Amino acid sequence: PHPPWATRACSSATLSLMSREIPSSAEAEALRSRGVHHESSDLEGAEIAIKDLPALPEPHRCEQLSESMLGITVVSLLIALFVGLTQGVAVGAPPYGAEWLALVCIYLEAAVAIGALCGLLCGDPGVVRRSPETCYPVPPEVLARLQRGESLIGLSNITDQQLGRTYCVRCLVWRPDGGSMGSRFPGSSMCHHCATCQRCVTDFDHHCGVFGRCIAGSGWRGNMKYFKCIISMAGCAMLTCIAPLIVRIIREPTTPHSSSRTVG
């Protein structure tokens, strides 16, 4: 037998636990809208887990592959052209002259272009990845369809004007719209869902049909730096290829040859 005070304490604890009811989904949504979180109904586990979300849409890989091969071919041909022309001008030139300096520069520019090409093809342009910060809270209309097992086709993106973000119904993530979303996307200017890559990308500029990648980023973020580097190396290589030609023309001016007539 338990003492009376222990029985009263157990009864009081039981009543206290029973009085702490778990709110319904509608009540939880209302609490979230007011900034109140229930301890047993947090954003990350209340409705649906990230691993239980539908799979991300598949990119158009054949299109990406063909575009990437085009970019690799273009860069390779330009490197072969500029290096070959510079090499041809340097052959027979005095050692340690301007022609040989241009030859060293053209090989360095080719190496930088190859490195930038690898970074562009293999680097992350700034894809918005699924995480507790980007996935929650799931909008009620999206959550209702997912719970019923219905498709999200035909559902438009959902905009949160207060926080300056949009929920992509294809990637199922919140993406920034012209502002910042916490520390994950500081100062993001634009976010777009690429129809070819089938991903939301921050600081989106365009999808390049030559390299088969989204070109995006600002500063050191994204792959915009690699794209600009490739374009810059093409211009530098053109100047490097033309410079030794001009030097050789100035150094060895052509002299007119007089034709001699033979009198028979």
Side-chain angles (χ1 to χ4, degrees):
H2 300 284
W5 61 268
T7 304
R8 288 194 300 269
C10 292
S11 300
S12 177
T14 304
L15 290 174
S16 177
L17 290 174
M18 293 176 61
S19 63
R20 296 170 59 186
E21 296 179 354
I22 298 175
S24 62
S25 59
E27 293 171 342
E29 185 64 30
L31 290 174
R32 281 194 296 269
S33 64
R34 296 197 301 268
V36 180
H37 302 276
H38 192 274
E39 60 186 8
S40 63
S41 179
D42 197 15
L43 295 178
E44 300 180 9
E47 297 101 353
I48 185 171
I50 296 178
K51 62 181 179 63
D52 296 329
L53 291 172
L56 289 166
E58 281 293 325
H60 300 298
R61 301 194 184 278
C62 292
E63 186 176 349
Q64 284 182 324
L65 180 59
S66 60
E67 292 172 347
S68 300
M69 293 305 297
L70 174 61
I72 294 173
T73 303
V74 170
V75 173
S76 301
L77 289 177
L78 289 177
I79 289 176
L81 174 64
F82 291 135
V83 171
L85 290 176
T86 308
Q87 182 81 42
V89 174
V91 172
Y96 308 108
E99 293 86 349
W100 288 95
L101 178 61
L103 186 62
V104 173
C105 291
I106 200 69
Y107 275 108
L108 290 177
E109 291 161 357
V112 172
I114 293 174
L117 178 63
C118 294
L120 180 63
L121 296 178
C122 303
D124 181 13
V127 175
V128 181
R129 304 192 182 279
R130 289 179 176 178
S131 68
E133 183 182 9
T134 58
C135 290
Y136 299 113
V138 180
E141 50 266 53
V142 175
L143 180 61
R145 290 200 181 194
L146 292 178
Q147 289 176 340
R148 294 193 299 264
E150 297 178 359
S151 173
L152 299 180
I153 297 177
L155 188 63
S156 301
N157 291 340
I158 300 163
T159 302
D160 186 348
Q161 297 289 349
Q162 184 178 1
L163 297 179
R165 59 183 184 175
T166 298
Y167 189 84
C168 178
V169 296
R170 288 165 286 186
C171 294
L172 300 181
V173 294
W174 288 100
R175 65 192 191 194
D177 277 346
S180 62
M181 193 173 81
S183 59
R184 175 64 177 87
F185 308 109
S188 297
S189 58
M190 181 180 180
C191 191
H192 179 72
H193 183 92
C194 178
T196 303
C197 300
Q198 292 296 320
R199 295 293 184 272
C200 288
V201 182
T202 56
D203 293 314
F204 182 85
D205 187 82
H206 68 283
H207 178 86
C208 183
V210 177
F211 296 106
R213 296 293 185 272
C214 290
I215 306 300
S218 176
W220 292 103
R221 298 178 308 187
N223 59 6
M224 178 64 77
K225 55 184 177 292
Y226 300 123
F227 181 75
K228 291 181 178 180
C229 184
I230 293 175
I231 302 300
S232 301
M233 288 301 103
C236 292
M238 187 179 299
L239 296 176
T240 304
C241 182
I242 294 174
L245 290 175
I246 298 176
V247 171
R248 172 162 288 193
I249 291 174
I250 295 175
R251 182 185 298 164
E252 301 175 2
T254 55
T255 57
H257 297 280
S258 57
S259 59
S260 57
R261 295 182 180 179
T262 58
V263 178

